[in-house]
Amino acid sequence: MSGGPKYEYKWADGEKFKKPASLPAHEYITHLMEWVEKQINNEDVFPSNPGVPFPKTYQGICKKILTRLFRVFVHVYIHHFDKIVSIGAEAHVNTCYKHFYYFVRTFKLVDPKEIEPLREMSEKICK
């Protein structure tokens, strides 16, 4: 999946894709959403019973999930924003992005180097 001319995101999940693989965006995103669902439904990672502690790896897993989800924003803004504008959804997508951006930046959940592809846009719309 491409994040513009400087960025290529390869998929690896440690199971089916042990080595990072170049995939078209729709396949990358499909694998990503399935992987995120698997993580969220894993009681060892996200326990749902009161009193069950979160694992020591919890924050790292959350960072990985949010970093990979951020890459979808990168791809959409760089490759499909004209389509979003054409259907009148720009304000909605920007609002969704801003909420995501403020959350991950406030809690330092996505490394600043990952945000670089959308840095200029983020500086403009996330004042």
Side-chain angles (χ1 to χ4, degrees):
M1 178 173 80
S2 170
K6 294 182 182 178
Y7 303 94
E8 180 184 6
Y9 303 121
K10 295 182 178 186
W11 180 253
D13 57 18
E15 293 175 7
K16 185 177 177 184
F17 293 88
K18 294 189 188 297
K19 294 182 180 180
S22 294
L23 299 174
H26 70 278
E27 287 182 35
Y28 182 102
I29 293 169
T30 297
H31 288 295
L32 170 61
M33 296 306 168
E34 290 170 354
W35 177 81
V36 169
E37 181 179 25
K38 185 176 178 181
Q39 301 306 307
I40 291 171
N41 290 329
N42 183 343
E43 286 286 329
D44 293 331
V45 178
F46 291 92
S48 60
N49 293 320
V52 176
F54 287 92
K56 292 179 181 173
T57 57
Y58 177 76
Q59 189 172 17
I61 292 168
C62 289
K63 285 181 176 184
K64 183 177 257 187
I65 290 169
L66 293 167
T67 295
R68 288 179 170 183
L69 290 172
F70 184 82
R71 293 172 178 178
V72 175
F73 277 112
V74 172
H75 177 79
V76 168
Y77 271 106
I78 290 174
H79 294 288
H80 303 291
F81 198 67
D82 58 331
K83 293 174 188 162
I84 290 168
V85 171
S86 74
I87 62 170
E90 178 182 2
H92 301 292
V93 174
N94 285 346
T95 298
C96 183
Y97 175 75
K98 287 167 74 171
H99 283 281
F100 187 90
Y101 176 85
Y102 290 139
F103 180 78
V104 299
R105 295 299 292 150
T106 297
F107 297 104
K108 297 177 176 65
L109 297 170
V110 174
D111 191 301
K113 70 180 179 187
E114 287 285 340
I115 295 172
E116 187 59 30
L118 296 181
R119 182 181 51 77
E120 288 182 27
M121 184 202 70
S122 298
E123 290 172 354
K124 289 179 186 173
I125 70 170
C126 301
K127 299 174 181 151

